Amino acid sequence: MITLKNVTLRRGAKVILDGASATINPGEKVGLVGRNGAGKSTLFALLNGTLHEDAGECYIPAQWRLAQVAQDMPETSESATEFVIAGDTRLAAAQAEVTAAEATEDGERMAHAYMELHDAGAHDAPARAQALILGLGFKTTELNQPVNSFSGGWRMRLQLARALMCPSDLLLLDEPTNHLDLDALVWLEAWLQRYAGTMLVISHDREFLDAVTGVTLHIENAQLKRYGGNYSKFEDMRAEQLELQQASYSRQQEKIAHLQKFIDRFKAKASKAKQAQSRVKALERMEKIGPVLAEADFTFEFKEPANLPNPMLALQDVSCGYPPPEGAPAGTAPTVIVRNVSKSVLAGQRIGILGANGQGKSTVVKTIARDLLPLSGEIIEGKGLAIGYFAQQELDVLRPQDTPLEHMIRLVKDTTARGALSGQATREQDLRTFLGSFNFTGDQVKQAVGTMSGGEKARLVLCMLVWQRPNLLLMDEPTNHLDLATREALSVALNEFEGTVMLVSHDRALLRSVCDEFWLVSRGGISPFDGDLDDYQRYLLDEAKRQREALKEAQAVMAAAASAPPLPPPVAAPAKREDNRSRQMRKELEKTELRIGELGREKAALEEQLSGQSDMKKITALSEQLGVVQGELDQLEERWLELSGNLGE
């Protein structure tokens, strides 16, 4: 078990833990919670060995293997699959031992090394890695793409997959859900529920914590307190304790006041001096109960919109997507993501936009927000429509060198130039006051945004959004960098907002609280989703099961092709004339199937030779040949899947 006993931990002059104690039992899944700055990540640094306690004792079993998500952005040309496989430390050690053993030509050592390589799962490592990658939202066509070709959020998903790939007894996860869509989040929850080791997780997603943890460790006032239960149970128990503490404090204050009154009244009287002195000693011995100090939770509200057009907007046969890239050959077709959408958005609606990763949720929102032009069709806007748009990449477009005050001054100028100013206060002092309502006080209004945390940047974006006084809010993953208190404040503000809300989010607590209807973006269209988020979660799990079964069927077809002689091509029935690209793909598919069959037979022959071989040099040579054959076979099977999928569209 993990034991912290009277631990004191400092970062610079700040005391993070002061004589704190806690115990975590093997196999427990623990949510680590506390206010921002309380020291959650610092405690992780103590557990992973980056920091050491200043006093007390921190004990972790020496034999426990640790896995955690690296926070650096990977820069490598390795394929996604290779990068994740490299996270398996046991496999890497076994492969290194095989290389070292082969260099010594020690037959016994080589035999042990090959056995350990087999036990480490070398035969199914690519399949295990790819299952993790696909579960976190990647497409099959991306499995062999270089890591450098992905954006920052997708690279962090690969870091998460790499941590899950690592065999571990202790898993540390710091905000693992930040870059995930809801479908990937549902998959991760299911994976973590099956994880057999001990886990500590920091997260601001209450439903995620409820789903994957059974113990909560709370950091407050440099102390650790353990609660048996998930986050919701922790909240209930803590509320009860605070209520009891406040009641006990009030009773004690009444008793202290009564004793002090007696002392003040009789301390000068000789006849009562002894009784007064005994009460002084009673006061000194009394263990004082502290008052419940109300935490200054963040709150804000959206201003009443200047007007509410109804309908807000209407989409008439709209197709959303991306135009051809600059420099593309003439006649290159645009990339259509969602087709032929005809829908109206009414005043006061609360719409949650659902859909698996890559289906086009953000593309639809960008089109409504005017960031993308419709590829076809028309969007008719109501008179006086004022859109407030919180984009996923909104934090990236803040100017790092500018201050919050400079951002607000520039917003005033831009709004004035568009003629969209609607009575907001514009003096510098008014803007300072407005920033103060979003917890930007004192010198913070003149602090460079580039030095701020993700949560502070998100608050600044919300501040700018509220100031614009929109009547239609488009919010695409607004909670990625928000702590629990700010998420709660956003939920309250959205519920009190009198305009229309369209929300994309993986935060199910926010979706449940705000939205009363859902649109499902799926398979190139948009349809109403008749059900709640529990129904949607079941839908995602069913979709994932369907995809796994389809993949198994494809693998079975490939296995059959590998073990049987190639069949003559069937006589084709009259069909529509194929275009050149389809014909080329079909020819490549036929060649790929033939080569898979050849490699399958070659693999079977090598395995048969290996099974009856005792000469270590021949075993080594045959194993190397088998590795080359298996590598080519893996690549061809992936290409077969890709071609089959494209031809089936």
Side-chain angles (χ1 to χ4, degrees), residues 611-631:
S611 65
Q613 190 58 251
S614 58
D615 187 319
M616 286 307 301
K617 287 187 178 179
K618 290 183 178 179
I619 288 175
T620 301
L622 289 169
S623 296
E624 288 177 355
Q625 291 178 48
L626 187 59
V628 171
V629 169
Q630 186 64 58

Side-chain angles (χ1 to χ4, degrees), residues 344-645:
S344 295
V345 178
L346 306 177
Q349 277 188 294
R350 299 285 194 276
I351 302 169
I353 302 178
L354 307 176
N357 172 61
Q359 293 297 312
K361 302 184 298 294
S362 294
T363 305
V364 171
V365 173
K366 286 178 182 178
T367 305
I368 294 173
R370 312 180 187 118
D371 272 16
L372 288 174
L373 293 174
L375 297 179
S376 64
E378 184 181 10
I379 299 178
I380 302 171
E381 297 183 352
K383 186 177 181 181
L385 179 69
I387 294 175
Y389 178 36
F390 190 114
Q392 280 197 61
Q393 68 277 13
E394 194 70 37
L395 273 60
D396 299 331
V397 301
L398 292 174
R399 299 186 183 184
Q401 71 279 8
D402 286 359
T403 67
L405 184 58
E406 287 169 338
H407 277 86
M408 290 299 297
I409 290 171
R410 186 169 60 254
L411 178 62
V412 170
K413 291 178 180 176
D414 291 347
T415 310
T416 305
R418 294 199 308 268
L421 204 61
S422 54
Q424 295 98 319
T426 57
R427 292 184 304 126
E428 182 174 317
Q429 185 55 49
D430 294 330
L431 296 177
R432 284 175 175 269
T433 302
F434 192 72
L435 284 163
S437 68
F438 283 81
N439 284 358
F440 293 104
T441 57
D443 293 338
Q444 276 189 308
V445 299
K446 291 196 172 182
Q447 178 184 342
V449 167
T451 65
M452 292 181 172
S453 68
E456 289 169 327
K457 291 176 184 175
R459 266 195 285 117
L460 177 56
V461 172
L462 283 173
C463 176
M464 296 168 68
L465 200 64
V466 170
W467 186 87
Q468 293 174 68
R469 205 171 172 182
N471 49 35
L472 171 60
L473 281 173
L474 302 173
M475 311 206 82
D476 191 356
E477 297 292 359
T479 64
N480 275 353
H481 298 277
L482 301 182
D483 61 18
L484 279 162
T486 310
R487 290 183 186 210
E488 186 66 29
L490 176 61
S491 175
V492 171
L494 289 175
N495 273 313
E496 293 177 352
F497 177 57
E498 295 183 13
T500 297
V501 178
M502 300 182 74
L503 175 64
V504 177
S505 179
H506 67 263
D507 187 324
R508 286 158 295 180
L510 183 66
L511 286 167
R512 288 183 204 277
S513 170
V514 172
C515 301
D516 49 29
E517 63 180 292
F518 296 103
W519 290 1
L520 178 62
V521 183
S522 177
R523 300 177 187 177
I526 298 179
S527 59
F529 184 79
D530 297 325
D532 58 18
L533 285 177
D534 294 328
D535 296 322
Y536 179 63
Q537 189 160 318
R538 285 190 287 271
Y539 162 80
L540 288 175
L541 292 172
D542 289 343
E543 280 290 291
K545 182 180 179 182
R546 183 185 62 79
Q547 291 175 7
R548 286 196 303 271
E549 288 174 351
L551 187 60
K552 283 181 182 177
E553 287 178 12
Q555 289 171 340
V557 170
M558 288 186 291
S563 60
L567 297 173
V571 178
K576 294 180 180 178
R577 181 178 296 174
E578 294 182 310
D579 58 28
N580 287 333
R581 181 170 174 271
S582 295
R583 282 198 299 273
Q584 289 170 359
M585 287 172 61
R586 197 170 296 282
K587 286 180 181 178
E588 185 181 352
L589 182 65
E590 291 171 358
K591 289 181 180 178
T592 302
E593 288 175 345
L594 288 171
R595 183 58 180 155
I596 285 173
E598 292 171 0
L599 288 170
R601 290 186 290 276
E602 188 176 345
K603 178 185 175 184
L606 287 168
E607 288 174 340
E608 187 176 350
Q609 292 179 56
L610 269 171
S611 65
Q613 190 58 251
S614 58
D615 187 319
M616 286 307 301
K617 287 187 178 179
K618 290 183 178 179
I619 288 175
T620 301
L622 289 169
S623 296
E624 288 177 355
Q625 291 178 48
L626 187 59
V628 171
V629 169
Q630 186 64 58
E632 186 181 352
L633 193 56
D634 289 342
Q635 291 180 356
L636 286 173
E637 287 175 348
E638 177 58 37
R639 182 58 179 160
W640 187 93
L641 275 173
E642 183 182 345
L643 290 166
S644 299

